[in-house]
Each structure stands twice: as structure tokens, then as C-alpha cells.
Amino acid sequence: MGFEEMVKLSEETKNPERTIPLALMIALGVSILLYVLVSLAAVSVVGWEQLAASRAPFADVAAVALGPMAFTLISVIALFATANTALLMMMASSRIIYGMASSLSLPPVLARVHPRRRTPWLAIVAVALASMAFLFAGEIDFVANVTNFTLFVTFIVINASVVALRYRAPDVVRPFRIPGTIGSLPVIPVVGIISSLFLLAQLDSLVLLVGGALVVLGAGIALVGEWQSHGAA
């Protein structure tokens, strides 16, 4: 989920057409290597059966390797890491809302900037209120799965957009072009759509219902923004 945050901040990047794809590939490669090494280290300390049944596998590994106090230390570190991730996601979300409102894809009021701090304060407030609403869900697993739903839908739309643009705008200059095509059909986005649909099908019915409602709500807000922009024009 964190990799796409780079794209959300691309407008502040030098030469983003080249820099962002390169950064994504490097980050993916490094993360895959780290995940594999951490997994190998974990199963060498604690058996995979115990890890599979654990609710805090890394903390259990630390407790076995470094003693009981390590469990508490890892738990505290995890809390700070989670808070940092949540803060990053909220910042990126407010920037997306601000950008969409500026381009009239959302109600223009969300693009208002604070006169002194120069921050999109209404977009930040909207993200904060939406985040607070999920506190009443009760179960973190449910919130995580709803997040997964929206991610899978986002990835499906992005991959489908790549395919559609190959046919609608084949002659547009592309600083970065996805390799692997059959005729004009890019293979990797098609694989991305299929894999995202497969993962989407693994979610519970309640998650699908709530996630679908959020998608419909978001589409409705976007339509209101478009209607307001046409009215202003």
C-alpha cells in the first residue's frame, strides 16, 4: 500500500515521468528482498506452525531470540510505526482530495487553502472526520479488509485505465511505457486486473457490501463536483 504514496506526491518531484517509475521499481525490489530475508530469519527462530498461529509473530520471534522484554519493545515500535503509516496515509489522502477538488473532480470547496498556513485545511478536516468514523467499526480486521477492498478497486481502475489509454490515445508521448504487449494490448495491466479481482473475491460479504457502498458514495461526491463545475462554467 505504501508504494503508491510516491505517485500521490509526484507533483513535487523533479522529472516525475522518469523518477517515479524508477523509484517504484527500486522500492519494490528492495522490499521484496527484505521481506524474504525477514521471513527466512523468522522461521529459523520460531517454527512456521507457531508463527501461523501467532497474533504478533515478530514480537514472538523477538521474545524467543532476545528475551521477554523484547516482546514489549517490538510492540511499542509497532505502535509508532503504525501511527506513522496512518499519518502518511492521511496526509496523502488530503493531498489527493485537494488535487481532485482543484481539477473539479470533487466539490471545489475542498480545494480551499488556509490563508496563513497555505495547507488544504478543508481536505485535511474531511480526511480526519472520515478516519474518525472508522473508529466505531470496532474490529481492526474489518477496517483493514475494507481498506483492502478500496485498494483492489483502485488497482483495477488504474490497470484498466492503462489498457484504455493504449487504444484511446496510442500516439501520446509516454516517458515510461509498460513492457510486454500482445498487439496493442499491454499484458501486465491485464494480469493486474485479474489478480486484483481474484483477491477481491476472497473478502467477506460484509466487507464487499461496505466497500461497495463507499465506492458508490465516492462516485456520488465526484458527480456532485462535476455538476458544480459545469454549473460554474
Side-chain angles (χ1 to χ4, degrees):
M1 185 175 179
F3 300 110
E4 49 137 358
E5 300 304 318
M6 299 181 194
V7 181
K8 296 174 183 176
L9 302 176
S10 57
E11 66 180 6
E12 299 178 5
T13 306
K14 294 181 179 178
N15 192 17
E17 295 88 351
R18 180 182 181 277
T19 305
I20 295 299
L22 184 61
L24 283 168
M25 294 301 104
I26 293 174
L28 278 169
V30 171
S31 297
I32 289 171
L33 177 62
L34 289 175
Y35 268 82
V36 171
L37 293 176
V38 169
S39 299
L40 291 174
V43 296
S44 67
V45 175
V46 179
W48 68 266
E49 298 90 346
Q50 183 177 343
L51 288 175
S54 174
R55 295 184 62 86
F58 287 156
D60 286 344
V61 171
V64 172
L66 304 174
M69 289 301 297
F71 186 97
T72 303
L73 177 62
I74 293 296
S75 299
V76 172
I77 292 174
L79 284 174
F80 278 97
T82 302
N84 179 70
T85 301
L87 182 61
L88 174 63
M89 298 299 175
M90 292 174 69
M91 184 199 73
S93 298
S94 65
R95 176 57 62 89
I96 288 177
I97 291 175
Y98 167 74
M100 293 180 68
S102 298
S103 62
L104 302 180
S105 296
L106 288 176
V109 66
L110 293 172
R112 290 184 181 177
V113 176
H114 194 277
R116 186 163 63 89
R117 300 184 183 276
R118 308 308 299 167
T119 53
W121 67 278
L122 277 180
I124 293 173
V125 170
V127 170
L129 292 175
S131 301
M132 291 168 62
F134 279 99
L135 292 174
F136 299 98
E139 294 289 337
I140 189 65
D141 293 347
F142 176 76
V143 176
N145 280 321
V146 171
T147 303
N148 288 337
F149 176 93
T150 58
L151 277 175
F152 297 149
V153 171
T154 300
F155 294 155
I156 290 170
V157 172
I158 291 172
N159 282 293
S161 299
V162 173
V163 176
L165 287 172
R166 287 288 181 92
Y167 290 96
R168 292 183 180 180
D171 300 324
V172 171
V173 177
R174 291 175 167 84
F176 177 82
R177 186 179 180 89
I178 297 173
T181 59
I182 299 177
S184 299
L185 180 67
V187 175
I188 293 178
V190 173
V191 174
I193 293 173
I194 295 172
S195 59
S196 296
L197 286 172
F198 173 77
L199 293 171
L200 199 61
Q202 311 305 310
L203 299 176
D204 295 337
S205 56
L206 181 59
V207 172
L208 295 174
L209 179 64
V210 174
L214 290 175
V215 170
V216 172
L217 177 62
I221 294 174
L223 288 174
V224 170
E226 185 177 353
W227 176 75
Q228 288 183 347
S229 67
H230 286 309

